[in-house]
Amino acid sequence: MPIQYYIYLCLTLFSIGIIGVLTRRNAIIVFMCVELMLNAVNLLLVAFSKMHHSVGLGAEGATSQAGIDGQLFVFFIMVVAAAEVSVGLAIIVMMYRNTHSVDINFLNRLKN
Amino acid sequence: MSTTEILFFLLSALAVFSAIMVLVSKNPVHSVLWLIAVFFAISGHYILLNAQFLAIVNLIVYAGAIMVLFLFVIMLMNLNAETEPQKHIWMKFAGAISGGCFLLMLVSLTRQAVEMGGRNAISGGNIGLIKNLGKALFSDYVVPFEITSVLFLSAMVGAVVIGKK
Amino acid sequence: MIPVSLILIPLITGLVTFFLKEAKTAKAWSLFASLVILAVTVTGIFFLPATNLFYDTPWLSEIGSRFSLVTDGMGKMLCLLTAVSFPVIFIATYKNDYKNPGSFYGLMLLAQAGLMGVFVASDALLFYFFWELALIPVYFLCSLWGGERRIAVTFKFFIYTFIGSLLMLVGILYLYYQTPDHSFALQSFYNLKLSIGSERFIFWLFFIAFAIKMPVFPFHTWQPDAYEQSPTSVTMVMSGVMVKMGIFAAIRWLLPIFPNASMQFANIIIILSVTGMLYASLIAIRQDDIKRLVAYSSIAHIGLMCAAIFTHNKTGMEGVMIQMFNHGVNVIGLWIVADVIEQQLGTRKFSELGGLAQKAPTLAILLVVMAFANIALPLTNAFIGEFLMFNGLFSYNIWMAAAAGVSVILAAVYTLNMVQKVLYGNTVATTENATEISGNVKWILVVLVIIVIALGVYPQPMINLTNDTVNAILYNH
Amino acid sequence: MSKLVFLVPLFPLLGFLVNGLGRKSMSKTMISVVGSGAILASFVVSLVLFFDVKANGGSVTTLFNFIEANSFKIPFAFQVDQLSSLFLLIITGIGFLIHLYSSAYMHEEEPQHFGRYFSYLNLFVFSMLLLVLGANYVIMFIGWEGVGLCSYLLIGFWFKNNNYNYAARKAFVMNRIGDLGFLLAVFWLLFKLGTATYGDVFAADNLSKLSSFDITAITLLLFVGAMGKSAQIPLYTWLPDAMAGPTPVSALIHAATMVTAGIYMIARSNILYTMAPATQTVVAVIGLATAIFAATIALKQNDIKKVLAYSTVSQLGYMFLGLGVGAYTGAVFHVMTHAFFKALLFLGAGSVIHAMHHEQDIRKMGGLKKYMPITHLTFLLACLAIAGIPPFSGFFSKDEILTASYSANPLYYYIGVAGALMTAFYMFRLYTLTFLGKFRGTHEQEHHVHESPWQMTFPLIILAILSVIGGLVGIPEVFAENAHSLEHFLAPIFAESAKIAEHHHLEKSQEYLMMGGSTAAIIIVIIFAVNSYKKYQATEEENAGVSKVLENKWYVDELYDAVIVNPLNALAGFFKNIIEKSGIDGLVNGVGRLVGYGSRQLRLLQSGQVGNYILIMVLAMVVFFLIWFNDVSIVQFFNKIF
Amino acid sequence: MNAIIVSALLGVVMMFSGIMFKNKTTYTAIAVAGLLFLLVANLLNSYGIYVIHVDTHFLLNFEQFGMFFNSIAIAATLIYVLLSGKAIEKMGVSVADHYALIFFVLCGVSILSSFNGLLMLFLGIEIMSIPLYILTGADKRNLKSNEASLKYFLMGAFSTGIMLMGITLIYGGTGSFTLGIDKSLSAGGLIPRTSFLEIAGLILLFVSMCFKVSAAPFHFWTPDVYDGAPGVFTSFMATIVKAAGFIAFVRLFDQHTAALGPSWRLLLGFVIVATLLIGNITAVFQQSVKRMLAYSSIAQAGFMLFALYGANDMAKEGILLYASAYCLATIGIFSVLIKMKDYTFDGFNGLAKTQPVLALATTICLLSLAGIPLTAGFFAKYYMLASVVKAGGSLGIVVIAVLFAAVSVYYYFRVIQAMYFKDGDAEASDVTTGYKVGLLLLSAFIILTGLFPSIILGWFYF
């Protein structure tokens, strides 16, 4: 499968994530869009790792481990994402407790 | 057109569509569900790329744990379409435009990236198998693996600190 | 060793002064310190062998800056000026009371340390350091003990000069990386061969810094306000000594390092200065406040010096040298009078003064002498300097000399106007019960007057003192 | 012998210091003794020097190096030669008499002011001596400004009266204007020759270094100085105002000595002037114009001192006429005689004023003849002298100048004679109104009018004698060969010029004709004046027409105010209030305000909306990509700007 | 390695001490002891003595630069805890956990000072950021604190996404996560062989780093977060964390700068000027000292970015000097600030009368921030400018920088004016003698460094 396809796909997903961050006011949804971005990245990483792996295969045969680091990186990204989610949701809940709202447009006590 | 290609396009279409639905659906719960759909599609891609381990982890961690957490919080706050605040239309427009610009930029770059020409992400190879990943993870990548524990610790402490009344 | 002690004595004594709570002790101590400094300066300059005038030790080895001090002729004279003026100031304002005097006199001495440093530093970075060190105490002095508009005015003065010195810092940095041996030493700066383009650019970076300090015409607006608002003893330091920093720096750091640029832009600068002279003199005619009047007249005098520097004429340069000292003495004398009047009568406005000559004849006589020194009457010291400077200017361009000469006439107008309004005529309400000046002021003024006359009659020693510098500046490049 | 020269200025300097410092402690007699004694001492020394010079020529004594700059060296040196020694005698001699006179005239002053007065006077003599003795232009300039200073101090002597102070200031500033010209001339000399010492400057090889343009410029600039000091058009208006000072001061400074400094200076540099015919013409014309112009004003003045002041201006004009036509000896001669009779006139006027309790308006005098015989007699002699009646001193000197001017240009002569006639008229108008007719003052004035004490009359007598016989040192050639002893005495000074200037002698018959004619005319004018004012009654009616204009001095002061002073003030105000405040300072503060404004605007960017923040971030990323991939064009763009 | 391990363990220790002890002062004591131990451990590390020897497989790379920065960061934290310990104890119930989080942050810092490869960079940044989200929100009842925390979190997460995309693209372009090995780059700028993907990745990475060090136009979170967060933690964030960000930034890009060629310089120039502009100009009009300091930290970031622009040994020494000078001064000021009743400029009126020592120390710190000679700040700025001039960068940008430095004098001196020249009765709560002594020592050290920067730089050459 040509790598460009994957790139386009992931960039699309990534940009959709960005657009989500920009267009939604619900903190949770915004956060979900960030997760969407991360997933796009993950997919792209895997794709790249397979691409580099193919080169490795060509070079040193079936035993090649080339490109495995990409997939491991994905693993770490998932770990971090999980940690982030736990903290992030905690913060959002705390916010909700005090304001009974998750609307980021109301976050304007601090400005100028 | 081989099956993989067909599958690829199907999954891509599904992923993009569900992603867009995440954005547009008014009800947060629906957004969550659509996002889960995206994750499934992506896991499908993983499988296509013969990265079974990641596919499973993706399902378990993301679709399983994380999204459930999200769903849980949303339920807790019982957010729904009515309570869902809407941004001003112009803001949405601006957001869409700028996001689009960003996409265009990167795409155009990719098109100029000649060295990517003719390179494929093959579905062959076995680096995606748990065996190999595990080997690598616990030999070369053991340090970061351990360090992530610090990450989790801090996240845990943080969650506790924040969560405490 | 001498230059180091010139810096260290005021520094240490100043720091000590901060802890003196009692007004009397603070005054006495600082006066004593300044007298010691004077003694050291005189012995060091006139009696000890010249080897004592140099000092050099590594300081910031990793960036190639050395703690190296050199006292050449110009440095000698300005150190002498600094050393003389501080005791004079302390004695003249001995009766004045300041709230928490310890800090006041401490800051004064710190300022003196900075000034001394500027005049002896022969390492660019060191020079920059002292340049700022002299500025900061003065900033606090003005802001803490000044008039009612002090904060804003002093702040403007500070930022103004600070911008200038930062630009100079950029210039110094650039030159530093041009030097083959990566050093800040004055000598290696002198040996630089810059490309004409960069020379032009860096020249202005330096010149603006100095022009703001002097101040030359368009950069002068901080000065009258600052002089007016700051306590008079600080004004004496500023106008008597600090403005000389600009002149000094222009001679030592501008001409030799940027010979071509300073030749090329000489006309611009001279025109600026002469314009400033006329401009300031005209404004001075319309002033109603002694301090502002002296401030503007000082701008005019400085303008002449600046112009004379850039004529690159030896005679003119000699004039500048001696005039730096003379202007310091004269203007301090005028400030002392202004201070006496303000302390006694509570006003500096001509319109509220008059007839002092009847009440305080001695003051009147001394003021008249100082005033005529200010307008460079022959046999007063200022005449010598201006005579030489005009010679230089004349040989540069006749019309410039003529135009500058007009300001001499204007000087007569405004100075005599001040004398008349303050001293002559009948007494008015404020001066009804004015009394003769007190002993300390009287004697210090007498001393100044003696200096004025003595240097006016026999200036040769002063001229010889700075010969080496003049030759070095003009003929080695 | 000439080693003593330093004593000449030293005595007055000491007198100045002693009187100045001890004025509070010393008694008036003490003060006057010290003051006058100092001058007397230097007069004696001057006499010695004079005869020394007469015997064996001039000499230069260097005391020390005043300024030794790179390009030139200015010694503090004194030059005693025929010219300076002559002036020394005039200054110290008349100076002494006037000191003596003052000791009585100023007697009402309280001791410290009395002391101040004498110290000023001594200081003046000191500076005047410096001016005359200096062996180079710089030393001369020192004296030049020194006398200006003393004149300032003495005019404003009664400093409680602000009008006097203004007069003093005016005098100093106008002198300063002239001094600038002088100074520029000196710079020019130093620039071209590297020396200002007479001996070197007038040396042939140095003169050859100067282009004719240089010489013309230098001489003109020097003449500007002379204008200021010697009150020539256009810088003359300070002299009449200077009458604010005590009368002896007017006699000494504003008649006898200081105002003649310009003549001395030009006579000193006669060679330069002879080499610059253009300048000579200027000098002659301005001198003549001043002479006639001042004379017209004097016709209608009623203040006794003002009349004398304008006559002084006019006489100075004659001297410059003489200098202009190359009759240097004549000019110096006239300086001398003028010093005698004008000092005498002033002192006489002083004695009158003293007697009249500081009444100066001649319309309120009259008939003083019988009260103050000595004053009257001496005054009359002086009037005859100044009017130019032979054989009084004025006749010879004035005649010499006029003759010379005739040979230069007959027109000069005729205008000059006209001026002389006016002189005769106003002098005798003054004389008549003051001494003849009957007393027009108040009664208690009449009561107190009395002859002045001996300290005042003695100088009058001496000066009277001098102004009668003083002319005999310069008897014209036409009367007797080589009778003009002064000319022979001064010959060495003017030798060089004499070589250059061309000589054309009038034949005797014409000279006799001219003398006779002018004298006759003058006598007629005198008789007319005396007759027309003998029966004068003080009338209130305003003068009209020309006489009003004359009474108001042709409105010259008003003109100066309108053309120079007020515009300058306006300009200064404009600078002070507009340019300085709004312009330059406004610019400086404007930068500050700009920063503040930018701050207020930029704060709005910080909207507090996460959405906006991220939006800007995304856009910024896009911009970054654009920058990166269009760097070349952007760099070129910046290169265009900078 | 020691620093990472020990700080992580200390974090755990603090967690459990929270269970064991109830007295809050004990926590501070333990923390101080721990920090001392950490410092020692790190110093030992730089002498090659390890707690346990770990084969990092080239994922970490312990060079003097990083080690030295660790020492600075730890020492700064120590000073921070000593000066502001009281305030930390006052903040909320779970003091021990806060300390634990601080230690975790330090762990992240020490990773950032020694990472070799994008993976560790990513982990380090996350380990450093996540505890900060919590600390920002530590004042749970305070809406501002909550808001700040949420803002910080959302934008942080977003920038993480950007960074990951950048890393991914680089990986795609070069096939590795390690730095500086790609010869096609160092071969000199934009030659056709250079992968466009990699360039794009670098730009995205650059953007996310700019976000972390709050360089314009990615600085928006800074004022709000610094303002909203509890003062004590603001001072921690604004100093040590930001410095660590810069160290990471420099270590990440210093090999590339030469290779990336003119467009890189251009981009960086834009960022620097924008940062200086926004930071300085916006700070001018602030009313709250706290917020002013937030903006000033942006301005300082603008200066620190010169280290990337210059990118030579001068720059590396300079960034260390700058980091230490900036940290010390800011910690000092904040420690005074959090003792004040109100944080506005007027709140400082007349402090010189009531608390001369505090006023003096604050003045010296402010002078140092303003870069006045005789203070450490001067040499910090000096090195930054010098590195640019040495690298032959355009003098224009340097001139702009110094002009903005002059602007910075304006708002720093407003505080001095308030303290010395204005009348008022500013009072500071619980000022102990020990605290005063500490402040004085701090300011003395700042002056000393201003006279002889080799005190700090000398270390650099051991």
Side-chain angles (χ1 to χ4, degrees), chain A residues 11 14 18 31 34 37-38 41 44-45 48-49 51-52 67 69-70 73 76-77 80 84 87-88 91-92 94-95 98-99 104 107-112, chain E residues 119 122-123 126 130 133-134 140 143-144 146-151 153-154 157-158 160-161 164-165 167-168 171-172 175 177 197 224 227-228 286 291 295:
Chain A
L11 287 179
F14 193 79
I18 292 182
F31 190 23
V34 172
M37 289 159 70
L38 294 188
V41 170
L44 189 54
L45 266 172
F48 278 137
S49 84
M51 179 185 85
H52 293 305
D69 45 3
F73 205 106
F76 284 110
I77 291 178
V80 170
E84 255 188 1
V87 172
I91 292 175
I92 291 176
M94 172 181 72
M95 188 74 197
N98 292 330
T99 62
I104 58 171
L107 303 178
N108 53 9
R109 287 168 202 76
L110 300 160
K111 63 174 162 199
N112 294 340
Chain E
L119 174 57
F122 169 62
L123 284 178
E126 285 306 314
I130 287 180
Y133 302 150
I134 315 290
K140 291 206 286 294
L143 285 179
K144 283 193 165 188
N146 298 343
E147 174 181 342
S149 156
L150 184 50
K151 272 183 178 172
F153 171 74
L154 286 176
F158 180 79
T160 309
L164 285 172
M165 180 49 97
I167 291 172
T168 311
Y171 176 68
F177 291 110
L197 285 184
D224 294 0
D227 193 5
Q286 296 304 323
R291 205 166 170 79
Y295 279 106

Side-chain angles (χ1 to χ4, degrees), chain D residues 554-566:
Chain D
W554 296 95
Y555 297 102
V556 171
D557 285 324
E558 291 75 0
L559 182 73
Y560 284 178
D561 283 348
V563 177
I564 298 164
V565 181
N566 299 345

Side-chain angles (χ1 to χ4, degrees), chain D residues 61-104:
Chain D
T61 354
T62 307
L63 300 188
F64 58 89
N65 264 345
F66 181 47
I67 305 176
E68 184 170 8
N70 147 56
S71 51
F72 52 78
K73 177 165 145 203
I74 291 162
F76 201 105
F78 289 152
Q79 175 164 2
V80 186
D81 58 8
Q82 291 78 1
L83 188 58
S84 51
S85 60
L86 183 64
F87 270 80
L88 284 187
L89 286 181
I90 299 174
I91 295 161
T92 50
I94 297 182
F96 167 67
L97 293 175
I98 289 176
H99 276 71
L100 188 59
Y101 181 94
S102 308
S103 60

Side-chain angles (χ1 to χ4, degrees), chain C residues 142-341:
Chain C
C142 300
S143 308
L144 279 170
W145 288 274
E148 73 285 354
R149 273 169 53 236
R150 61 184 191 281
I151 295 182
V153 164
T154 321
F155 197 42
K156 180 173 162 188
F157 153 66
F158 184 82
I159 296 230
Y160 213 148
T161 40
F162 189 64
I163 289 175
S165 45
L166 279 173
L167 292 177
M168 175 172 72
L169 178 63
V170 177
I172 290 176
L173 263 175
Y174 181 84
L175 295 179
Y176 167 73
Y177 281 108
Q178 298 302 307
T179 52
D181 52 348
H182 281 337
S183 90
F184 285 103
L186 183 60
Q187 205 46 50
S188 43
F189 275 22
Y190 281 1
N191 301 335
L192 274 176
K193 295 276 168 286
L194 297 168
S195 75
I196 189 66
S198 57
E199 185 175 339
R200 284 181 193 150
F201 182 54
I202 309 296
F203 172 84
W204 285 111
L205 289 183
F206 275 77
F207 177 74
I208 288 175
F210 303 152
I212 292 173
K213 203 77 169 185
M214 285 185 204
V216 184
F217 164 47
F219 305 102
H220 66 278
T221 47
W222 61 266
Q223 198 207 34
D225 290 346
Y227 285 7
E228 183 189 6
Q229 289 301 318
S230 45
T232 311
S233 45
V234 181
T235 316
M236 293 178 203
V237 178
M238 285 164 89
S239 62
V241 190
M242 271 189 90
V243 293
K244 309 302 180 302
M245 285 164 64
I247 312 271
F248 167 89
I251 294 174
R252 180 178 253 193
W253 295 92
L254 212 53
L255 262 52
I257 301 179
F258 313 100
N260 308 323
S262 52
M263 281 289 183
Q264 182 186 1
F265 297 124
N267 48 3
I268 301 175
I269 292 168
I270 290 178
I271 288 171
L272 270 186
S273 327
V274 173
T275 322
M277 291 174 71
L278 295 172
Y279 177 80
S281 316
L282 275 173
I283 290 184
I285 292 177
R286 292 294 291 265
Q287 291 303 330
D288 188 37
D289 178 311
I290 301 179
K291 276 185 149 189
R292 289 190 80 84
L293 181 137
V294 180
Y296 277 106
S297 93
S298 152
I299 292 176
H301 290 118
I302 296 291
L304 178 55
M305 294 191 217
C306 181
I309 292 173
F310 282 90
T311 55
H312 293 82
N313 173 295
K314 184 156 181 256
T315 315
M317 194 65 78
E318 283 167 339
V320 177
M321 295 286 173
I322 182 165
Q323 187 65 1
M324 278 196 272
F325 188 88
N326 297 338
H327 177 261
V329 173
N330 301 352
V331 84
I332 287 180
L334 285 172
W335 289 126
I336 291 177
V337 176
D339 183 46
V340 171
I341 292 173

Side-chain angles (χ1 to χ4, degrees), chain C residues 156 220-221 279 282 286 296 314-315 318 358 372 375 378 390-391 395 408 420 424-425 456-457 459-460, chain D residues 23 66 68-72 145 149 159-160 162 165 169 172 176 187 191 569 572-573 579-580 584-585 589:
Chain C
K156 180 173 162 188
H220 66 278
T221 47
Y279 177 80
L282 275 173
R286 292 294 291 265
Y296 277 106
K314 184 156 181 256
T315 315
E318 283 167 339
Q358 304 163 40
F372 277 103
I375 62 179
F390 269 113
N391 263 305
S395 47
V408 175
Q420 174 183 344
Y424 299 153
V457 176
Q460 205 50 47
Chain D
R23 68 190 190 285
F66 181 47
E68 184 170 8
N70 147 56
S71 51
F72 52 78
E145 285 233 316
L149 166 70
F159 53 73
K160 281 182 197 161
N162 256 328
N165 298 327
R169 213 170 98 200
F172 191 85
R176 263 268 155 148
F187 293 148
F191 179 49
N569 266 323
I579 301 277
E580 182 80 346
I584 298 170
D585 206 16
N589 299 335

